[in-house]
Amino acid sequence: MSFRDQVDRTLAALAVTPGWRRLQQCRPDCDDETVAEILRQAGGFAERVLAPLNTPGDRQGAQLIEGRVQTPAGFREAFRSYAEAGWLAVDLAEAGGGQGLPLTVQAACGPLFERACVALMMVAGSTRAAAHLIWEAGDEQLIREWVPKLATGERTATICISEADAGSDVGRIRTKAERVGDDWRISGRKTWISFGDHDLTERIGHCLLARTGSEPGTRGLSLFLVPNLIEGQPNGITVERLEDKMGLHASPTCALNFDQSRGTLIGSEGRGLAQLFRMIELMRLQTACQGLGLASASVDVAERYAKERRQGGQSSSPPVPIAEHPDVRRQLEEMRRRTEVLRLAVLELATAMDLAAYEPNDERRRELESFCAWMLPLIKNFGADAGFSVANAAIQVLGGAGYTRDWPLEQYLRDARVMTIYEGTTGMQALDFLTRRLWGDQGNGLRQLKARVQTDLSSAVDLHPQDAKVAQERLEAFDEFSRRMMSLQAEPERALYLAHDYFLAGWEAVSAWMDLRLRRIEDHLQR
Ligand SMILES: Cc1cc2nc3c(=O)[nH]c(=O)nc-3n(C[C@H](O)[C@H](O)[C@H](O)COP(=O)(O)OP(=O)(O)OC[C@H]3O[C@@H](n4cnc5c(N)ncnc54)[C@H](O)[C@@H]3O)c2cc1C
């Protein structure tokens, strides 16, 4: 019923994830005991330092005062403690100031922090992802100047893509970058930038896409690091507006104007979007961790409440806990299942992403990369969706109480709602899944999925024949759907209409597969 319980569930999920065992062979320093201790520390920190800020932060919200953003009370100190404890750069290379742990460890800790205070984690997520991006694509000077300071939280960073006429349609970005001598000058207006301004740190770097060439669409886009200050002086960036949102009140969402702001090119000209994908990929996985954190918190609240709240039963006897009613039990079990399936799926993806980085064999590495690219849209979208729908289901279990601010569920619901919108809407993820993952990659990711499911099926078929049958059927149905969608390439209008159904069928196949692992955890607990 707590962070401690979530730690235990995460450790149990790691134990049944085959990729984790393989990863431990590459990383003997990540033995079970060490990782359990890291997770316990993360849970303790989340509960002690971050969670107390969540409700007050929501009530107070971020504010725009005389052109500068103020975050709610306590956010600055909590961010500092988070960074000082090393949580900001768990999986960044040690040479860059990180702890050099696998991404899987980060993905295991992340949902604990997200559960505690998702709004503050918005800035932690973009800062960490920017550190990875600059580490991998920046030149030596940029790496030296920025990466260690991002890793220690001395500076923060944003992902700065969206504009009024360029939301899902990134190719319509109009912000321009012009070369002036060795320098670049950026002018334009960006919208929806999370932590685009704040008072947590003095310096903020914007990882910004701007148009450099005359080529239309995404080909003319390059990537820049645009600091808010240069040698202590403002760099022509003004906060024009703070969005008044449904949730995530403590996370400032800014419209920013850039007026001849100096920026440094990251990587190569014209390859901006492709390079930014490193950051986007990490932030999409983080979005799934956000959903998982909020789903975990919501189901815990509902389970606890249902044990205590008494209604119904024989009128001659005292009322019974509502958890005893079959319909409430059904709701609780569904919520728990959704949450734990997601936890397993996040770890399956994170371990595959880690193993892809360690794999020396080219062909094997390409297979892993295909699988990761195939899984990411599913995990991002259905992880985000679980955050909202489990919070919604939990409100139902609490009845009228769930609808009030006496309980945290209404905040979880409001905070979670945006997660299927930012980092690529559901519609765009479904489109990507069909056109790039199925059509573009010739179904390679799907082949990897089938091979992985077969491995789990072979060990589940005797122990859990019914679950194995469901997983097999879902996989076959999805395979058949995939064949149909392949044949619809000549009818794109029809195919795109069906893209969401196809996407959902993919997630159902993954869920039924992860159910088999959930059974293994339950078997283990019963022994
Ligand atoms: C709280 C919050 C924080 C954010 N933080 C950041 C940030 O830090 N940095 C940043 O750059 N951006 C940020 N964003 C912006 C976010 O990424 C965009 O809102 C998102 O990409 C969608 O763009 P849009 O809002 O313009 O919607 P639109 O692109 O107008 O889409 C509206 C609807 O149309 C659908 N649609 C659009 N095009 C297509 C198509 N071709 N095919 C099918 N369906 C389509 C979409 O799926 C969606 O349902 C944030 C947004 C919010 C709300």
Side-chain angles (χ1 to χ4, degrees):
M1 208 56 68
S2 63
F3 287 84
R4 183 59 195 263
D5 179 65
Q6 193 176 322
V7 166
D8 292 344
R9 288 181 185 278
T10 309
L11 291 170
L14 277 173
V16 296
T17 302
W20 174 241
R21 292 291 173 227
R22 279 198 291 282
L23 188 59
Q24 283 182 310
Q25 287 163 8
C26 308
R27 291 292 305 257
D29 56 326
C30 292
D31 57 90
D32 288 351
E33 215 174 294
T34 305
V35 172
E37 186 50 30
I38 293 172
L39 277 169
R40 279 196 281 271
Q41 293 288 335
F45 183 91
E47 188 164 20
R48 215 176 43 253
V49 182
L50 302 178
L53 298 175
N54 201 35
T55 306
D58 176 60
R59 304 282 153 87
Q60 189 182 347
Q63 292 168 37
L64 185 61
I65 298 172
E66 293 176 7
R68 294 301 310 266
V69 172
Q70 270 184 22
T71 56
F75 271 49
R76 190 184 163 97
E77 295 74 16
F79 182 70
R80 181 103 311 277
S81 309
Y82 180 83
E84 276 169 5
W87 298 120
L88 202 46
V90 166
D91 60 328
L92 188 72
E94 282 178 274
Q99 300 199 39
L101 288 162
L103 169 68
T104 305
V105 177
Q106 155 68 36
C109 295
L112 292 158
F113 301 133
E114 302 290 354
R115 168 193 186 132
C117 189
V118 68
L120 182 59
M121 286 305 104
M122 293 289 287
V123 68
S126 56
T127 299
R128 161 182 166 260
H132 278 275
L133 168 74
I134 298 170
W135 179 251
E136 286 166 33
D139 63 25
E140 229 175 271
Q141 196 186 338
L142 203 62
I143 291 174
R144 210 173 332 110
E145 195 193 337
W146 279 86
V147 176
K149 293 193 167 77
L150 293 173
T152 52
E154 206 178 311
R155 299 179 185 181
T156 67
T158 71
I159 183 160
C160 202
I161 308 174
S162 303
E163 298 180 7
D165 296 324
S168 304
D169 197 354
V170 174
R172 292 191 194 276
I173 282 178
R174 278 196 285 199
T175 295
K176 267 201 153 65
E178 285 168 339
R179 202 193 278 274
V180 179
D182 289 342
D183 235 348
W184 289 89
R185 296 292 153 94
I186 285 91
S187 296
R189 190 166 182 272
K190 292 288 181 183
T191 53
W192 304 109
I193 308 307
S194 299
F195 280 88
D197 189 47
H198 58 74
D199 54 4
L200 305 178
T201 57
E202 201 189 347
R203 295 196 60 179
I204 305 168
H206 301 285
C207 296
L208 176 145
L209 279 182
R211 195 159 289 290
T212 43
S214 52
E215 283 195 275
T218 55
R219 283 194 308 269
L221 298 177
S222 302
L223 180 59
F224 296 88
L225 196 278
V226 187
N228 64 335
L229 299 174
I230 291 198
E231 290 162 6
Q233 297 304 309
N235 188 23
I237 306 170
T238 43
V239 186
E240 290 195 331
R241 175 190 156 88
L242 204 57
E243 301 300 338
D244 186 4
K245 311 190 297 292
M246 169 182 180
L248 289 184
H249 291 155
S251 166
T253 309
C254 307
L256 299 177
N257 191 58
F258 293 80
D259 181 12
Q260 293 284 307
S261 307
R262 278 167 65 184
T264 305
L265 183 70
I266 303 177
S268 337
E269 219 180 308
R271 296 211 58 246
L273 187 59
Q275 286 164 343
L276 191 62
F277 253 94
R278 176 61 179 140
M279 192 169 177
I280 292 172
E281 173 181 89
L282 292 173
M283 294 185 70
R284 287 185 175 166
L285 182 60
Q286 184 197 355
T287 308
C289 291
Q290 294 180 332
L292 177 54
L294 294 186
S296 301
S298 301
V299 65
D300 281 0
V301 169
E303 284 175 352
R304 192 178 66 216
Y305 184 88
K307 275 188 203 144
E308 287 167 6
R309 169 74 175 158
R310 288 174 175 270
Q311 285 289 282
Q314 300 288 342
S315 52
S316 53
S317 313
V320 299
I322 59 168
E324 289 181 15
H325 299 306
D327 185 58
V328 175
R329 222 170 52 233
R330 172 192 61 77
Q331 293 176 60
L332 292 172
E333 283 173 11
E334 274 177 22
M335 289 157 67
R336 179 54 76 191
R337 176 191 165 267
R338 264 195 102 158
T339 307
E340 299 315 316
V341 155
L342 173 60
R343 196 181 316 282
L344 287 157
V346 164
L347 295 175
E348 176 70 10
L349 172 60
T351 51
M353 286 167 88
D354 272 324
L355 288 166
Y358 282 104
E359 180 55 56
N361 179 294
D362 283 352
E363 197 187 325
R364 184 73 198 117
R365 191 174 56 252
R366 272 195 297 276
E367 285 173 5
L368 281 161
E369 285 167 356
S370 275
F371 175 70
C372 295
W374 187 88
M375 277 285 268
L376 188 60
L378 288 172
I379 299 288
K380 188 272 165 188
N381 186 68
F382 293 99
D385 188 50
F388 180 77
S389 42
V390 175
N392 192 30
I395 289 175
Q396 195 67 22
V397 168
L398 267 69
Y403 193 61
T404 69
R405 286 168 129 206
D406 294 345
W407 293 85
L409 297 173
E410 61 84 30
Q411 185 190 343
Y412 297 156
L413 184 93
R414 285 186 287 104
D415 286 352
R417 183 59 190 90
V418 70
M419 292 168 194
T420 54
I421 296 174
Y422 60 34
E423 293 309 322
T425 62
T426 301
M428 299 310 288
Q429 299 292 336
L431 205 74
D432 177 73
F433 190 67
L434 172 68
T435 59
R436 294 180 61 207
R437 299 305 138 217
L438 181 70
W439 293 349
D441 197 27
Q442 294 295 311
N444 263 330
L446 173 60
R447 272 191 287 284
Q448 304 310 318
L449 168 83
K450 287 189 334 198
R452 283 167 183 254
V453 178
Q454 286 309 333
T455 311
D456 278 273
L457 273 174
S458 56
S459 56
V461 81
D462 291 332
L463 290 171
H464 300 287
Q466 189 51 34
D467 296 307
K469 186 166 168 274
V470 172
Q472 180 79 50
E473 283 170 2
R474 291 271 166 82
L475 185 65
E476 280 167 10
F478 179 61
D479 202 22
E480 173 54 34
F481 205 160
S482 301
R483 275 196 290 276
R484 223 172 100 211
M485 295 307 274
M486 279 303 265
S487 72
L488 281 181
Q489 282 186 79
E491 290 178 65
E493 195 69 20
R494 172 109 189 97
L496 295 183
Y497 194 84
L498 292 173
H500 182 263
D501 288 352
Y502 177 63
F503 193 38
L504 187 58
W507 179 245
E508 281 173 357
V510 170
S511 296
W513 168 33
M514 291 299 131
D515 258 339
L516 301 178
R517 293 197 185 157
L518 202 52
R519 293 285 168 262
R520 281 178 54 199
I521 296 178
E522 286 163 5
D523 287 351
H524 182 75
L525 291 175
Q526 276 162 15
R527 273 206 293 272

